[in-house]
Structures are given as C-alpha cells and as structure tokens.
Amino acid sequence: MSRIDKIGEVLITEEEIVARAKELGAEITEKHENDDVILIGILRGAVMWMTELMKNINLDLTIDFMACSSYGSTTKSSGVVRIDKDLSSDIEGKSVIIVEDIVDSGVTLNYLKGYLAGRKPKSIEICSLLDKPAGRRADIEADYIGFKVDDVFIVGYGLDFDQRYRQLPYISYLREDDTDMIVE
Ligand code: IMP
Ligand code: MG
C-alpha cells in the first residue's frame, strides 16, 4: 500500500528550492571568500538540501555530517540532545555552516551550536531549508533561511514523518487526519 496518498498539496516546488539554493549559495560564497568553510549537514533530514546548496557555493570548502536525536518530550525542553554521529573533521579555526532541514523549536540547533563552539571554530552559522517560527522554544535563528513555513507538519525534500517521504522532490505536508499518529 502506498502512503503517498496522505500527502497534501505542494507547498514549495523543486524549482523554487533549486532557485533559492542558488541565491543562498551566492550569498555564502560572497560572505566567506576569505574563510576556511566547512558545511556540517545534520542527518538525515538535511541531505537533499545540503547537496543542492553546496553545488552553488564557489569556495574551497569541505563537508562533514552529524546525527543527533532528542531524548524525549520531557527532557527536550531542557535542551538535552544526544549525539548519534559526531564529526570526523577538526573544525578549529574554521567557518562552520550547519546545514539543517528545519528550525522548529530550535532546541536541537541551540544545543549543537553550543556543542560545536567548544571546538573553537572561527564562526558558526546556520543555513536551514525551512523556518517554522511558530514552533520556537529556544532563542535561536538561522543565518540563512530558504523559506518560512506555517505551523503544519512538513514532509518531503529530506523531511520525514516516521522516516517516510524523505525522497519527495518538493515540500508538502501530511493531511490533518494523519498527523494524529505523531508521537514524540
Ligand atoms: P527542533 O524542534 O528545531 O529541535 O527540530 C528538530 C528536528 O525535528 C528537525 O531537524 C527535524 O528533523 C524535525 N522536525 C521539526 N519540525 C518538523 C516538521 O514539520 N516535519 C518534519 N520534521 C520536523
Ligand atoms: Mg533533522
């Protein structure tokens, strides 16, 4: 049985995402022309956005990945995040750009930023495909944002529900009756 029929309309098309990646890539290129840049993609949601973005950054950069997960709904509010895969690279003195799929509560990125700051990078910025300001609980904003979204559960272009729908080449949402299934 296919679950693709639970998907709503397309909110952001592939063409729009590709165009936005070009704009943000150019912005990052200009801002960091004298820096030693490392892009850090947050698995797994950021994978599609990371590949599109990096094609458009004309710098001698390197990339790495991290994976992390929140402990659970009670500890999540205290900002406790577990690192499931740490970096393979040294980031000391480098201009770090964390590449994320979405900033929702901001708890994950708030924790990650503090964690990475301990390794003495030159700077830490965040480039997120999506921003959901209505969900914010931590005091954090991305430096580069692809698109703002309303307070709905987003899927596609890397973002999942229950590990599904990541491969959709556009941003959509789960229809109302299905989001009841979401448990934290
Ligand atoms: P945070 O709430 O900002 O810490 O977001 C943590 C993670 O939750 C994000 O990196 C996403 O993987 C996931 N997430 C938050 N909102 C959504 C959504 O609307 N759809 C799919 N994943 C989401
Ligand atoms: Mg994620």
Side-chain angles (χ1 to χ4, degrees):
M1 186 193 78
S2 167
R3 299 170 73 190
I4 300 293
D5 57 353
K6 293 178 179 174
I7 300 295
E9 300 104 73
V10 174
L11 296 178
I12 306 168
T13 65
E14 185 171 20
E15 290 71 23
E16 289 173 310
I17 296 169
V18 167
R20 191 72 184 117
K22 280 196 171 61
E23 289 174 356
L24 290 180
E27 209 179 300
I28 289 169
T29 302
E30 194 172 335
K31 183 164 179 189
H32 289 288
E33 58 185 349
N34 299 312
D35 294 329
D36 191 1
V37 169
I38 180 165
L39 301 181
I40 300 180
I42 308 303
L43 297 170
R44 289 164 253 182
V47 163
M48 230 189 252
W49 174 232
M50 172 101 155
T51 54
E52 193 53 45
L53 179 72
M54 68 192 218
K55 285 188 260 179
N56 295 289
I57 304 177
N58 189 15
L59 296 170
D60 187 15
L61 56 73
T62 60
I63 69 166
D64 204 341
F65 293 94
M66 288 182 80
C68 54
S69 47
S70 302
Y71 272 122
S73 48
T74 44
T75 48
K76 208 173 165 185
S77 53
S78 63
V80 182
V81 175
R82 187 183 66 209
I83 305 291
D84 297 321
K85 183 217 171 293
D86 210 326
L87 294 175
S88 310
S89 327
D90 183 8
I91 59 168
E92 189 172 340
K94 295 191 181 172
S95 298
V96 167
I97 303 176
I98 301 174
V99 182
E100 246 297 33
D101 52 358
I102 187 167
V103 190
D104 182 13
S105 73
V107 167
T108 310
L109 280 170
N110 201 33
Y111 176 83
L112 273 182
K113 226 178 157 177
Y115 180 78
L116 294 176
R119 298 187 187 172
K120 312 252 182 313
K122 180 180 175 191
S123 62
I124 306 179
E125 292 181 310
I126 296 165
C127 178
S128 185
L129 169 60
L130 302 175
D131 181 25
K132 196 194 283 184
R136 202 73 90 253
R137 283 188 283 148
D139 182 21
I140 193 153
E141 296 301 330
D143 302 273
Y144 312 95
I145 295 165
F147 305 88
K148 280 196 197 308
V149 291
D150 293 335
D151 197 11
V152 292
F153 197 81
I154 299 293
V155 292
Y157 217 84
L159 290 97
D160 73 304
F161 169 63
D162 198 16
Q163 298 303 330
R164 306 288 167 157
Y165 312 118
R166 291 194 195 275
Q167 85 276 24
L168 300 177
Y170 50 80
I171 294 293
S172 187
Y173 59 95
L174 273 193
R175 289 209 311 263
E176 205 55 48
D177 50 337
D178 301 309
T179 51
D180 294 345
M181 292 155 56
I182 295 171
V183 283
E184 284 210 34

Short mmCIF file of all heavy atoms in Angstrom, two decimals, residues 42-46 100-102 166, ligand 2:
data_model
loop_
_atom_site.label_atom_id
_atom_site.label_comp_id
_atom_site.label_asym_id
_atom_site.label_seq_id
_atom_site.Cartn_x
_atom_site.Cartn_y
_atom_site.Cartn_z
N ILE A 42 23.19 17.96 8.94
CA ILE A 42 22.59 17.21 10.04
C ILE A 42 21.72 16.09 9.45
O ILE A 42 20.71 16.35 8.79
CB ILE A 42 21.76 18.13 10.97
CG1 ILE A 42 22.61 19.34 11.43
CG2 ILE A 42 21.26 17.34 12.18
CD1 ILE A 42 23.91 19.00 12.14
N LEU A 43 22.18 14.87 9.68
CA LEU A 43 21.48 13.69 9.14
C LEU A 43 20.16 13.47 9.87
O LEU A 43 20.07 13.75 11.05
CB LEU A 43 22.38 12.45 9.30
CG LEU A 43 23.70 12.50 8.51
CD1 LEU A 43 24.60 11.35 8.94
CD2 LEU A 43 23.45 12.46 7.02
N ARG A 44 19.11 12.91 9.21
CA ARG A 44 19.18 12.63 7.80
C ARG A 44 18.46 13.69 6.98
O ARG A 44 18.58 13.76 5.78
CB ARG A 44 18.49 11.27 7.54
CG ARG A 44 19.31 10.10 8.07
CD ARG A 44 18.47 8.83 8.16
NE ARG A 44 18.21 8.58 9.57
CZ ARG A 44 17.53 7.53 10.00
NH1 ARG A 44 17.00 6.68 9.17
NH2 ARG A 44 17.35 7.34 11.29
N GLY A 45 17.71 14.52 7.70
CA GLY A 45 16.81 15.46 7.04
C GLY A 45 17.46 16.46 6.10
O GLY A 45 16.84 16.93 5.15
N ALA A 46 18.73 16.80 6.38
CA ALA A 46 19.36 17.88 5.61
C ALA A 46 20.03 17.41 4.33
O ALA A 46 20.57 18.23 3.57
CB ALA A 46 20.39 18.61 6.48
N GLU A 100 20.75 22.50 8.02
CA GLU A 100 19.62 21.80 8.63
C GLU A 100 18.41 21.77 7.69
O GLU A 100 18.33 22.58 6.76
CB GLU A 100 19.21 22.52 9.92
CG GLU A 100 19.44 21.75 11.19
CD GLU A 100 18.64 20.46 11.35
OE1 GLU A 100 18.35 19.77 10.36
OE2 GLU A 100 18.32 20.14 12.50
N ASP A 101 17.49 20.88 7.97
CA ASP A 101 16.26 20.84 7.19
C ASP A 101 15.26 21.89 7.65
O ASP A 101 14.66 22.59 6.86
CB ASP A 101 15.63 19.43 7.21
CG ASP A 101 15.42 18.86 8.61
OD1 ASP A 101 15.79 19.51 9.60
OD2 ASP A 101 14.90 17.73 8.70
N ILE A 102 15.07 21.98 9.00
CA ILE A 102 14.06 22.90 9.52
C ILE A 102 14.43 23.36 10.93
O ILE A 102 14.98 22.58 11.70
CB ILE A 102 12.65 22.23 9.50
CG1 ILE A 102 11.55 23.21 9.88
CG2 ILE A 102 12.61 21.00 10.38
CD1 ILE A 102 10.13 22.70 9.57
N ARG A 166 10.92 11.16 2.67
CA ARG A 166 12.12 11.99 2.52
C ARG A 166 12.48 12.22 1.06
O ARG A 166 13.11 13.20 0.70
CB ARG A 166 13.32 11.31 3.20
CG ARG A 166 13.24 11.25 4.72
CD ARG A 166 14.61 10.89 5.28
NE ARG A 166 14.58 10.48 6.68
CZ ARG A 166 14.61 11.31 7.71
NH1 ARG A 166 14.65 12.61 7.50
NH2 ARG A 166 14.61 10.86 8.94
MG MG B 2 16.51 16.79 11.22
#
